[in-house]
Amino acid sequence: MTENAQQQPPAPDTELPTQYAPAEVEGALYERWVDKGYFAADAKSDKPPYTIVIPPPNVTGSLHLGHAFQHTLMDALTRRKRMQGFEALWLPGMDHAGIATQNKVEQQLAEEGKSRHDLGREEFVERVWQWKEEYGGKILGQMRRLGDGVDWDRERFTMDEGLSKAVLTIFKKLYDDELIYRAERIINWCPRCLTAISDIEVEYQEDDGELVSIKYGEGDETLVVATTRAETMLGDTAVAVHPDDERYQHLIGKRIKLPLTDRSIPVVADTHVDPEFGTGAVKVTPAHDPNDFAIGQRHGLESITVMDERAVITAHGPFQGLDRFEARSAIVAALRSQGRIVAEKRPYVHSVGHCSRCKTTIEPRLSMQWWVKVGPLAKAAGDAVRDGRVKIHPEDMSKRYFDWVDNMHDWCISRQLWWGHRIPVWYGPDGEVVCVGPDEEPPTGEGWRQDTDVLDTWFSSGLWPFSTLGWPEQTEDLRKFYPTDVLLTGHDIIFFWVARMMMFGLYAMDGEVPFKTIALTGLVRDERGKKMSKSFGNVVDPLDWMDKYGSDAVRFTLARGANPGTDVPIGEDWVQASRNFANKIWNATRFALMNGATIEGPLPEPSQMSATDRWILSRLNKTVAQVDAYYEDFQFAKLSDALFHFAWDEVFDWYVELSKTTFQAGGESAKVSQRVLGEVLDITLKLLHPIVPFVTDTLWTTLTGGESVVIADWPKDSGFRDAAAEREIESLQSVITEVRRFRADQGLQPGQRVPARLTLDGTALAPHEAAIRQLLRLQPEGESFSATATLPVAGATVALDLSGTIDVAAERKRLAKDLAAAEKEKAQATAKLGNEAFLAKAPDNVVDKIRGRLAKADEDIARIQAQLDRLPPA
């Protein structure tokens, strides 16, 4: 906290506009925070560090609800820690997003009638940098709209000079440690993006295809195989059967004719084949299927590539030059004309892999690529969680993490792109292979060339927790802020990003973990729980809601739905309700200021306070303790809900209302309550600030005269509790609630005044008669007072004279009709539940529904009868 903020504040300016207008406040206030340097972290500070690095959004991206959700939670964590006296660093940045960004620029070039090859590599990369400067980073401005309290002076980009050096350094280290190698393997190939993609970048969906059964061989030496990819048969180099399958013992080791070709292929025995599936025989295409590749390796089979990088058939013959899907139809037709199609099934629904970026069907392809040997790295990443150095929250998400790191395959890290970190390997004229580190000169001379591939985007983002702090240099930032404290991210990228950072962090930082806690969130869905998708038409732009309701309303809605690891449904009605909450905070604070609420001077002694004052301070301290506990457990929904109900229900609806009579009476009691109300608002606004920063800072500075709530001290539980006062006010609330309910049941208007006699002597409610009468619109009893309804509540008695206010006869008639309907409903439900024949046949959900109707009827009967009993005789 700054020295200025610690000094006794000046008397506040109590003038607030009658309505809160977020659009007039948020932009200027955010820029003030940044200009004041509130979010800038000091590596030289002696404060304890608290670090969160932002999951770097794609440079091509814009703020969506998922970003807004996670950013709200990270901002709340950081703002609170800053107020608690930590040197809090929330580090922002962007990912260069290799494929996505290259696609953007290639689309731009296509509109000019050009391709990247027309420009050449160097000019194309320069064009991408230009695009990035002109169009990239749109999301950064949108983060300011949301109120992200990030340290903009430390903003990083995965292709900036420092991070590029980190990439080269770790590649060289991994290469020298023989953890990076080059090999020909089956990879996922995107014929649209023209690059390899990793397993986790493949999205599987159920597609309509066809399953055809094809007869291979002639005469007695025939086998039937089934396939959904008939076009790959041109690359078959064997048929495999299980070694114990009696049906095919006579064929194992023999060669059979491959249809549509002039080749014969062997029949091999392999335990991978399931004899119970289909015909028990499978075609083997080692160059176009990962399982077939493994069979081919075991049996020394040739790998024949029959498609080029665009999935066009290259195999010599009548199908050469056809697209894979055109070739599929043509090959099935040719096989059918030869009588080799034994069976066809259309449509055949099966799971098909698609490129997560362009949605093109993936083609497994044999290709020479660079790989990370993940075995030892993944083991270290698993051990760090198992031994407790890293906590996963919620804990039940650990299983998903272990399922991934314990079964991880070697990682294909090369991509056939031009935008990205180019692989730092040079090939010489005589077969030399040289890996060049960041401070080394690459070999020169005739015949030397650099590898043309770039690294997978996740390779550089896997270094994010330490590369952004200056690694490989031993910077002050690295010493101060590493390891980071919390990684808050969606459970959907455990595989993409979390595991990569764990592997690289432990490897590069000598076994030191990259973060102490992994806090996993769910995904944002629409109000019906449905995934947001453009195809569903339910995608929401959070900026639209911010424009309409304010950023605080969007943030509070998201935080209030944030249960750890659980998906978050959100609808516009909920954002509107959060806007109403912001308005409630505004109006209540405005009322408090108009009635003299103040933070000047010490709090009065409890002996000077009313029970109402002691009650609210006791509830306030319990709320502080509760909110702190929820923060430590990442229970954002529960802490938001606790704050909502404390602020709205207890402070604004009860304490403010109960204090009105005190303020009107004036005197010392009013001064005490003015100070207590100031204290309660001061702390409540601080507690709310991390979630709803704009409205709280505006109100807090007006209330206190302080510089900013951003740099104010986080509230501490003072330990003050007053159980007696809490019981007393609970009794008071019971009286007011019960009488209000009775008034509503009798059809009285909220403002309608009713004569009443209060019998409060001998109860703790005696000091509250004025408040009870004011809140319940109860006027003193007159000479003609006649108690027509008597309500015993919380040891007190409230007698009401309803004569002249309601038509008792008409009210009794209405209630009698309602009672008859409820009794009829009860009789029908009871009869059904007593019918054994009905119970034997009816589904459980139907029986449960009738039981619910019976319970509701019982409740209605009791309620209506109580209302009748309270009415005077007609």
Side-chain angles (χ1 to χ4, degrees), residues 542-581:
L543 296 171
D544 291 342
W545 281 352
M546 288 184 214
D547 290 341
K548 196 170 182 180
Y549 303 111
S551 297
D552 284 333
V554 174
R555 289 170 62 113
F556 192 73
T557 305
L558 291 164
R560 205 171 176 193
N563 291 296
T566 304
D567 288 350
V568 183
I570 184 172
E572 187 167 1
D573 287 351
W574 306 337
V575 184
Q576 187 172 355
S578 295
R579 187 272 313 275
N580 295 344
F581 179 50

mmCIF file of all heavy atoms in Angstrom, residues 542-581:
data_model
loop_
_atom_site.group_PDB
_atom_site.id
_atom_site.type_symbol
_atom_site.label_atom_id
_atom_site.label_comp_id
_atom_site.label_asym_id
_atom_site.label_seq_id
_atom_site.Cartn_x
_atom_site.Cartn_y
_atom_site.Cartn_z
ATOM 1 N N PRO A 542 -18.488 -11.218 -25.663
ATOM 2 C CA PRO A 542 -18.568 -10.572 -24.349
ATOM 3 C C PRO A 542 -18.523 -9.051 -24.430
ATOM 4 O O PRO A 542 -19.033 -8.360 -23.551
ATOM 5 C CB PRO A 542 -17.352 -11.126 -23.599
ATOM 6 C CG PRO A 542 -16.425 -11.610 -24.663
ATOM 7 C CD PRO A 542 -17.290 -12.067 -25.790
ATOM 8 N N LEU A 543 -17.944 -8.519 -25.505
ATOM 9 C CA LEU A 543 -17.888 -7.064 -25.650
ATOM 10 C C LEU A 543 -19.289 -6.470 -25.819
ATOM 11 O O LEU A 543 -19.545 -5.348 -25.372
ATOM 12 C CB LEU A 543 -17.002 -6.688 -26.840
ATOM 13 C CG LEU A 543 -15.527 -7.081 -26.701
ATOM 14 C CD1 LEU A 543 -14.804 -6.871 -28.012
ATOM 15 C CD2 LEU A 543 -14.869 -6.295 -25.594
ATOM 16 N N ASP A 544 -20.185 -7.232 -26.449
ATOM 17 C CA ASP A 544 -21.565 -6.752 -26.581
ATOM 18 C C ASP A 544 -22.208 -6.606 -25.211
ATOM 19 O O ASP A 544 -22.903 -5.622 -24.930
ATOM 20 C CB ASP A 544 -22.381 -7.718 -27.447
ATOM 21 C CG ASP A 544 -21.950 -7.719 -28.906
ATOM 22 O OD1 ASP A 544 -21.273 -6.747 -29.320
ATOM 23 O OD2 ASP A 544 -22.258 -8.682 -29.617
ATOM 24 N N TRP A 545 -21.992 -7.595 -24.360
ATOM 25 C CA TRP A 545 -22.547 -7.537 -23.008
ATOM 26 C C TRP A 545 -21.879 -6.439 -22.177
ATOM 27 O O TRP A 545 -22.530 -5.779 -21.367
ATOM 28 C CB TRP A 545 -22.396 -8.885 -22.318
ATOM 29 C CG TRP A 545 -23.437 -9.886 -22.753
ATOM 30 C CD1 TRP A 545 -24.536 -9.652 -23.537
ATOM 31 C CD2 TRP A 545 -23.480 -11.279 -22.427
ATOM 32 N NE1 TRP A 545 -25.245 -10.804 -23.719
ATOM 33 C CE2 TRP A 545 -24.638 -11.822 -23.053
ATOM 34 C CE3 TRP A 545 -22.668 -12.128 -21.683
ATOM 35 C CZ2 TRP A 545 -24.986 -13.172 -22.938
ATOM 36 C CZ3 TRP A 545 -23.017 -13.458 -21.562
ATOM 37 C CH2 TRP A 545 -24.158 -13.982 -22.180
ATOM 38 N N MET A 546 -20.571 -6.246 -22.386
ATOM 39 C CA MET A 546 -19.885 -5.171 -21.668
ATOM 40 C C MET A 546 -20.459 -3.813 -22.065
ATOM 41 O O MET A 546 -20.649 -2.930 -21.221
ATOM 42 C CB MET A 546 -18.380 -5.212 -21.951
ATOM 43 C CG MET A 546 -17.645 -6.361 -21.302
ATOM 44 S SD MET A 546 -15.878 -6.227 -21.633
ATOM 45 C CE MET A 546 -15.445 -7.948 -21.746
ATOM 46 N N ASP A 547 -20.710 -3.654 -23.364
ATOM 47 C CA ASP A 547 -21.299 -2.391 -23.837
ATOM 48 C C ASP A 547 -22.674 -2.161 -23.209
ATOM 49 O O ASP A 547 -23.028 -1.035 -22.861
ATOM 50 C CB ASP A 547 -21.438 -2.404 -25.367
ATOM 51 C CG ASP A 547 -20.098 -2.327 -26.082
ATOM 52 O OD1 ASP A 547 -19.112 -1.906 -25.444
ATOM 53 O OD2 ASP A 547 -20.040 -2.710 -27.262
ATOM 54 N N LYS A 548 -23.428 -3.228 -23.069
ATOM 55 C CA LYS A 548 -24.819 -3.117 -22.626
ATOM 56 C C LYS A 548 -24.953 -3.034 -21.109
ATOM 57 O O LYS A 548 -25.764 -2.251 -20.591
ATOM 58 C CB LYS A 548 -25.592 -4.328 -23.154
ATOM 59 C CG LYS A 548 -27.096 -4.184 -23.106
ATOM 60 C CD LYS A 548 -27.743 -5.341 -23.878
ATOM 61 C CE LYS A 548 -29.257 -5.208 -23.902
ATOM 62 N NZ LYS A 548 -29.878 -6.328 -24.645
ATOM 63 N N TYR A 549 -24.136 -3.823 -20.406
ATOM 64 C CA TYR A 549 -24.321 -3.943 -18.956
ATOM 65 C C TYR A 549 -23.105 -3.532 -18.126
ATOM 66 O O TYR A 549 -23.205 -3.442 -16.907
ATOM 67 C CB TYR A 549 -24.684 -5.392 -18.600
ATOM 68 C CG TYR A 549 -25.911 -5.903 -19.300
ATOM 69 C CD1 TYR A 549 -25.822 -6.892 -20.278
ATOM 70 C CD2 TYR A 549 -27.165 -5.398 -18.991
ATOM 71 C CE1 TYR A 549 -26.962 -7.370 -20.925
ATOM 72 C CE2 TYR A 549 -28.306 -5.861 -19.633
ATOM 73 C CZ TYR A 549 -28.194 -6.848 -20.603
ATOM 74 O OH TYR A 549 -29.318 -7.309 -21.239
ATOM 75 N N GLY A 550 -21.958 -3.317 -18.777
ATOM 76 C CA GLY A 550 -20.748 -2.980 -18.045
ATOM 77 C C GLY A 550 -19.865 -4.198 -17.813
ATOM 78 O O GLY A 550 -20.349 -5.331 -17.716
ATOM 79 N N SER A 551 -18.573 -3.957 -17.713
ATOM 80 C CA SER A 551 -17.618 -5.060 -17.539
ATOM 81 C C SER A 551 -17.795 -5.755 -16.200
ATOM 82 O O SER A 551 -17.633 -6.971 -16.086
ATOM 83 C CB SER A 551 -16.187 -4.532 -17.675
ATOM 84 O OG SER A 551 -15.979 -4.018 -18.979
ATOM 85 N N ASP A 552 -18.110 -4.985 -15.152
ATOM 86 C CA ASP A 552 -18.298 -5.598 -13.837
ATOM 87 C C ASP A 552 -19.411 -6.646 -13.870
ATOM 88 O O ASP A 552 -19.298 -7.702 -13.242
ATOM 89 C CB ASP A 552 -18.653 -4.535 -12.795
ATOM 90 C CG ASP A 552 -17.447 -3.707 -12.362
ATOM 91 O OD1 ASP A 552 -16.321 -4.223 -12.438
ATOM 92 O OD2 ASP A 552 -17.636 -2.555 -11.948
ATOM 93 N N ALA A 553 -20.478 -6.369 -14.594
ATOM 94 C CA ALA A 553 -21.607 -7.302 -14.659
ATOM 95 C C ALA A 553 -21.195 -8.602 -15.335
ATOM 96 O O ALA A 553 -21.562 -9.700 -14.887
ATOM 97 C CB ALA A 553 -22.776 -6.663 -15.408
ATOM 98 N N VAL A 554 -20.405 -8.502 -16.406
ATOM 99 C CA VAL A 554 -19.928 -9.706 -17.094
ATOM 100 C C VAL A 554 -18.996 -10.490 -16.171
ATOM 101 O O VAL A 554 -19.103 -11.715 -16.037
ATOM 102 C CB VAL A 554 -19.220 -9.329 -18.410
ATOM 103 C CG1 VAL A 554 -18.587 -10.557 -19.052
ATOM 104 C CG2 VAL A 554 -20.207 -8.677 -19.375
ATOM 105 N N ARG A 555 -18.089 -9.796 -15.519
ATOM 106 C CA ARG A 555 -17.127 -10.452 -14.635
ATOM 107 C C ARG A 555 -17.840 -11.156 -13.480
ATOM 108 O O ARG A 555 -17.527 -12.311 -13.162
ATOM 109 C CB ARG A 555 -16.139 -9.418 -14.078
ATOM 110 C CG ARG A 555 -15.152 -8.876 -15.095
ATOM 111 C CD ARG A 555 -14.373 -7.691 -14.523
ATOM 112 N NE ARG A 555 -13.588 -8.093 -13.364
ATOM 113 C CZ ARG A 555 -12.259 -8.124 -13.317
ATOM 114 N NH1 ARG A 555 -11.557 -7.761 -14.364
ATOM 115 N NH2 ARG A 555 -11.635 -8.499 -12.217
ATOM 116 N N PHE A 556 -18.794 -10.468 -12.841
ATOM 117 C CA PHE A 556 -19.449 -11.061 -11.681
ATOM 118 C C PHE A 556 -20.263 -12.286 -12.086
ATOM 119 O O PHE A 556 -20.287 -13.300 -11.371
ATOM 120 C CB PHE A 556 -20.355 -10.035 -10.990
ATOM 121 C CG PHE A 556 -20.831 -10.498 -9.639
ATOM 122 C CD1 PHE A 556 -19.967 -10.526 -8.561
ATOM 123 C CD2 PHE A 556 -22.143 -10.918 -9.453
ATOM 124 C CE1 PHE A 556 -20.394 -10.970 -7.312
ATOM 125 C CE2 PHE A 556 -22.579 -11.358 -8.210
ATOM 126 C CZ PHE A 556 -21.700 -11.381 -7.133
ATOM 127 N N THR A 557 -20.899 -12.238 -13.246
ATOM 128 C CA THR A 557 -21.664 -13.386 -13.736
ATOM 129 C C THR A 557 -20.762 -14.586 -13.954
ATOM 130 O O THR A 557 -21.095 -15.714 -13.578
ATOM 131 C CB THR A 557 -22.377 -13.026 -15.056
ATOM 132 O OG1 THR A 557 -23.185 -11.859 -14.849
ATOM 133 C CG2 THR A 557 -23.261 -14.170 -15.532
ATOM 134 N N LEU A 558 -19.606 -14.353 -14.566
ATOM 135 C CA LEU A 558 -18.673 -15.447 -14.838
ATOM 136 C C LEU A 558 -18.109 -16.023 -13.548
ATOM 137 O O LEU A 558 -18.014 -17.242 -13.383
ATOM 138 C CB LEU A 558 -17.554 -14.942 -15.751
ATOM 139 C CG LEU A 558 -17.995 -14.615 -17.187
ATOM 140 C CD1 LEU A 558 -16.936 -13.772 -17.892
ATOM 141 C CD2 LEU A 558 -18.269 -15.894 -17.972
ATOM 142 N N ALA A 559 -17.714 -15.150 -12.625
ATOM 143 C CA ALA A 559 -17.145 -15.626 -11.361
ATOM 144 C C ALA A 559 -18.185 -16.400 -10.551
ATOM 145 O O ALA A 559 -17.866 -17.407 -9.907
ATOM 146 C CB ALA A 559 -16.611 -14.450 -10.546
ATOM 147 N N ARG A 560 -19.434 -15.951 -10.603
ATOM 148 C CA ARG A 560 -20.472 -16.592 -9.799
ATOM 149 C C ARG A 560 -20.806 -17.986 -10.315
ATOM 150 O O ARG A 560 -21.407 -18.799 -9.607
ATOM 151 C CB ARG A 560 -21.729 -15.717 -9.777
ATOM 152 C CG ARG A 560 -22.580 -15.955 -8.548
ATOM 153 C CD ARG A 560 -23.696 -14.955 -8.425
ATOM 154 N NE ARG A 560 -24.533 -15.288 -7.271
ATOM 155 C CZ ARG A 560 -25.714 -14.773 -7.026
ATOM 156 N NH1 ARG A 560 -26.212 -13.869 -7.845
ATOM 157 N NH2 ARG A 560 -26.411 -15.134 -5.980
ATOM 158 N N GLY A 561 -20.396 -18.294 -11.551
ATOM 159 C CA GLY A 561 -20.634 -19.632 -12.093
ATOM 160 C C GLY A 561 -19.414 -20.526 -12.046
ATOM 161 O O GLY A 561 -19.452 -21.657 -12.528
ATOM 162 N N ALA A 562 -18.322 -20.040 -11.442
ATOM 163 C CA ALA A 562 -17.030 -20.735 -11.556
ATOM 164 C C ALA A 562 -16.801 -21.722 -10.426
ATOM 165 O O ALA A 562 -16.099 -21.445 -9.460
ATOM 166 C CB ALA A 562 -15.896 -19.708 -11.592
ATOM 167 N N ASN A 563 -17.389 -22.903 -10.550
ATOM 168 C CA ASN A 563 -17.065 -24.006 -9.651
ATOM 169 C C ASN A 563 -15.889 -24.773 -10.238
ATOM 170 O O ASN A 563 -15.863 -25.038 -11.439
ATOM 171 C CB ASN A 563 -18.270 -24.939 -9.484
ATOM 172 C CG ASN A 563 -19.395 -24.277 -8.722
ATOM 173 O OD1 ASN A 563 -19.242 -23.938 -7.558
ATOM 174 N ND2 ASN A 563 -20.541 -24.075 -9.373
ATOM 175 N N PRO A 564 -14.884 -25.142 -9.421
ATOM 176 C CA PRO A 564 -13.652 -25.744 -9.953
ATOM 177 C C PRO A 564 -13.913 -26.926 -10.875
ATOM 178 O O PRO A 564 -14.652 -27.850 -10.524
ATOM 179 C CB PRO A 564 -12.911 -26.184 -8.678
ATOM 180 C CG PRO A 564 -13.397 -25.263 -7.618
ATOM 181 C CD PRO A 564 -14.838 -25.002 -7.952
ATOM 182 N N GLY A 565 -13.315 -26.858 -12.074
ATOM 183 C CA GLY A 565 -13.367 -27.966 -13.010
ATOM 184 C C GLY A 565 -14.714 -28.219 -13.652
ATOM 185 O O GLY A 565 -14.870 -29.167 -14.416
ATOM 186 N N THR A 566 -15.706 -27.379 -13.346
ATOM 187 C CA THR A 566 -17.076 -27.600 -13.826
ATOM 188 C C THR A 566 -17.432 -26.570 -14.889
ATOM 189 O O THR A 566 -17.101 -25.396 -14.755
ATOM 190 C CB THR A 566 -18.065 -27.490 -12.651
ATOM 191 O OG1 THR A 566 -17.677 -28.414 -11.634
ATOM 192 C CG2 THR A 566 -19.482 -27.810 -13.098
ATOM 193 N N ASP A 567 -18.119 -27.016 -15.936
ATOM 194 C CA ASP A 567 -18.516 -26.092 -17.000
ATOM 195 C C ASP A 567 -19.463 -25.019 -16.460
ATOM 196 O O ASP A 567 -20.205 -25.238 -15.501
ATOM 197 C CB ASP A 567 -19.167 -26.854 -18.146
ATOM 198 C CG ASP A 567 -18.147 -27.676 -18.939
ATOM 199 O OD1 ASP A 567 -16.935 -27.492 -18.700
ATOM 200 O OD2 ASP A 567 -18.559 -28.494 -19.776
ATOM 201 N N VAL A 568 -19.429 -23.858 -17.119
ATOM 202 C CA VAL A 568 -20.131 -22.680 -16.623
ATOM 203 C C VAL A 568 -21.236 -22.282 -17.603
ATOM 204 O O VAL A 568 -20.950 -21.782 -18.691
ATOM 205 C CB VAL A 568 -19.152 -21.496 -16.462
ATOM 206 C CG1 VAL A 568 -19.868 -20.288 -15.866
ATOM 207 C CG2 VAL A 568 -17.957 -21.892 -15.611
ATOM 208 N N PRO A 569 -22.507 -22.493 -17.244
ATOM 209 C CA PRO A 569 -23.572 -21.987 -18.105
ATOM 210 C C PRO A 569 -23.754 -20.490 -17.873
ATOM 211 O O PRO A 569 -23.609 -20.001 -16.758
ATOM 212 C CB PRO A 569 -24.806 -22.776 -17.627
ATOM 213 C CG PRO A 569 -24.511 -23.104 -16.196
ATOM 214 C CD PRO A 569 -23.014 -23.230 -16.083
ATOM 215 N N ILE A 570 -24.049 -19.763 -18.932
ATOM 216 C CA ILE A 570 -24.220 -18.311 -18.793
ATOM 217 C C ILE A 570 -25.254 -17.831 -19.791
ATOM 218 O O ILE A 570 -25.287 -18.277 -20.945
ATOM 219 C CB ILE A 570 -22.875 -17.569 -19.002
ATOM 220 C CG1 ILE A 570 -23.032 -16.071 -18.752
ATOM 221 C CG2 ILE A 570 -22.309 -17.841 -20.381
ATOM 222 C CD1 ILE A 570 -21.713 -15.319 -18.756
ATOM 223 N N GLY A 571 -26.127 -16.946 -19.331
ATOM 224 C CA GLY A 571 -27.147 -16.364 -20.191
ATOM 225 C C GLY A 571 -27.253 -14.871 -19.931
ATOM 226 O O GLY A 571 -26.806 -14.370 -18.891
ATOM 227 N N GLU A 572 -27.863 -14.163 -20.864
ATOM 228 C CA GLU A 572 -27.925 -12.705 -20.749
ATOM 229 C C GLU A 572 -28.737 -12.265 -19.525
ATOM 230 O O GLU A 572 -28.439 -11.241 -18.913
ATOM 231 C CB GLU A 572 -28.522 -12.093 -22.021
ATOM 232 C CG GLU A 572 -28.467 -10.576 -22.032
ATOM 233 C CD GLU A 572 -28.760 -9.978 -23.398
ATOM 234 O OE1 GLU A 572 -29.024 -10.755 -24.344
ATOM 235 O OE2 GLU A 572 -28.709 -8.748 -23.520
ATOM 236 N N ASP A 573 -29.753 -13.062 -19.148
ATOM 237 C CA ASP A 573 -30.544 -12.705 -17.969
ATOM 238 C C ASP A 573 -29.655 -12.617 -16.724
ATOM 239 O O ASP A 573 -29.879 -11.788 -15.839
ATOM 240 C CB ASP A 573 -31.648 -13.744 -17.726
ATOM 241 C CG ASP A 573 -32.764 -13.636 -18.751
ATOM 242 O OD1 ASP A 573 -32.753 -12.661 -19.531
ATOM 243 O OD2 ASP A 573 -33.629 -14.526 -18.794
ATOM 244 N N TRP A 574 -28.650 -13.496 -16.663
ATOM 245 C CA TRP A 574 -27.769 -13.526 -15.496
ATOM 246 C C TRP A 574 -26.860 -12.294 -15.481
ATOM 247 O O TRP A 574 -26.549 -11.751 -14.426
ATOM 248 C CB TRP A 574 -26.961 -14.817 -15.477
ATOM 249 C CG TRP A 574 -27.834 -16.037 -15.553
ATOM 250 C CD1 TRP A 574 -29.154 -16.115 -15.204
ATOM 251 C CD2 TRP A 574 -27.479 -17.332 -16.038
ATOM 252 N NE1 TRP A 574 -29.640 -17.386 -15.424
ATOM 253 C CE2 TRP A 574 -28.645 -18.152 -15.936
ATOM 254 C CE3 TRP A 574 -26.313 -17.895 -16.537
ATOM 255 C CZ2 TRP A 574 -28.652 -19.492 -16.316
ATOM 256 C CZ3 TRP A 574 -26.323 -19.231 -16.907
ATOM 257 C CH2 TRP A 574 -27.478 -20.011 -16.806
ATOM 258 N N VAL A 575 -26.440 -11.878 -16.677
ATOM 259 C CA VAL A 575 -25.610 -10.669 -16.750
ATOM 260 C C VAL A 575 -26.444 -9.453 -16.347
ATOM 261 O O VAL A 575 -25.960 -8.548 -15.649
ATOM 262 C CB VAL A 575 -25.035 -10.482 -18.175
ATOM 263 C CG1 VAL A 575 -24.093 -9.289 -18.218
ATOM 264 C CG2 VAL A 575 -24.292 -11.737 -18.627
ATOM 265 N N GLN A 576 -27.692 -9.444 -16.766
ATOM 266 C CA GLN A 576 -28.587 -8.345 -16.382
ATOM 267 C C GLN A 576 -28.762 -8.316 -14.862
ATOM 268 O O GLN A 576 -28.779 -7.240 -14.248
ATOM 269 C CB GLN A 576 -29.932 -8.509 -17.075
ATOM 270 C CG GLN A 576 -30.871 -7.325 -16.869
ATOM 271 C CD GLN A 576 -32.123 -7.437 -17.732
ATOM 272 O OE1 GLN A 576 -32.241 -8.329 -18.542
ATOM 273 N NE2 GLN A 576 -33.049 -6.528 -17.543
ATOM 274 N N ALA A 577 -28.876 -9.486 -14.237
ATOM 275 C CA ALA A 577 -29.006 -9.549 -12.779
ATOM 276 C C ALA A 577 -27.741 -9.027 -12.098
ATOM 277 O O ALA A 577 -27.821 -8.341 -11.068
ATOM 278 C CB ALA A 577 -29.281 -10.985 -12.345
ATOM 279 N N SER A 578 -26.594 -9.311 -12.685
ATOM 280 C CA SER A 578 -25.337 -8.804 -12.123
ATOM 281 C C SER A 578 -25.241 -7.291 -12.285
ATOM 282 O O SER A 578 -24.700 -6.593 -11.417
ATOM 283 C CB SER A 578 -24.141 -9.484 -12.803
ATOM 284 O OG SER A 578 -24.112 -10.866 -12.510
ATOM 285 N N ARG A 579 -25.764 -6.774 -13.400
ATOM 286 C CA ARG A 579 -25.836 -5.320 -13.575
ATOM 287 C C ARG A 579 -26.701 -4.712 -12.476
ATOM 288 O O ARG A 579 -26.369 -3.660 -11.902
ATOM 289 C CB ARG A 579 -26.409 -5.014 -14.957
ATOM 290 C CG ARG A 579 -26.393 -3.529 -15.384
ATOM 291 C CD ARG A 579 -27.609 -2.749 -14.950
ATOM 292 N NE ARG A 579 -28.865 -3.422 -15.213
ATOM 293 C CZ ARG A 579 -29.521 -3.368 -16.374
ATOM 294 N NH1 ARG A 579 -29.055 -2.664 -17.367
ATOM 295 N NH2 ARG A 579 -30.681 -4.018 -16.509
ATOM 296 N N ASN A 580 -27.796 -5.387 -12.147
ATOM 297 C CA ASN A 580 -28.668 -4.910 -11.076
ATOM 298 C C ASN A 580 -27.933 -4.899 -9.734
ATOM 299 O O ASN A 580 -28.159 -4.018 -8.898
ATOM 300 C CB ASN A 580 -29.922 -5.786 -10.976
ATOM 301 C CG ASN A 580 -30.801 -5.682 -12.218
ATOM 302 O OD1 ASN A 580 -30.653 -4.756 -13.012
ATOM 303 N ND2 ASN A 580 -31.709 -6.628 -12.384
ATOM 304 N N PHE A 581 -27.073 -5.879 -9.535
ATOM 305 C CA PHE A 581 -26.281 -5.931 -8.307
ATOM 306 C C PHE A 581 -25.327 -4.735 -8.232
ATOM 307 O O PHE A 581 -25.187 -4.091 -7.177
ATOM 308 C CB PHE A 581 -25.505 -7.245 -8.244
ATOM 309 C CG PHE A 581 -24.642 -7.396 -7.026
ATOM 310 C CD1 PHE A 581 -25.146 -7.166 -5.748
ATOM 311 C CD2 PHE A 581 -23.314 -7.794 -7.154
ATOM 312 C CE1 PHE A 581 -24.336 -7.323 -4.622
ATOM 313 C CE2 PHE A 581 -22.504 -7.948 -6.044
ATOM 314 C CZ PHE A 581 -23.018 -7.705 -4.771
#
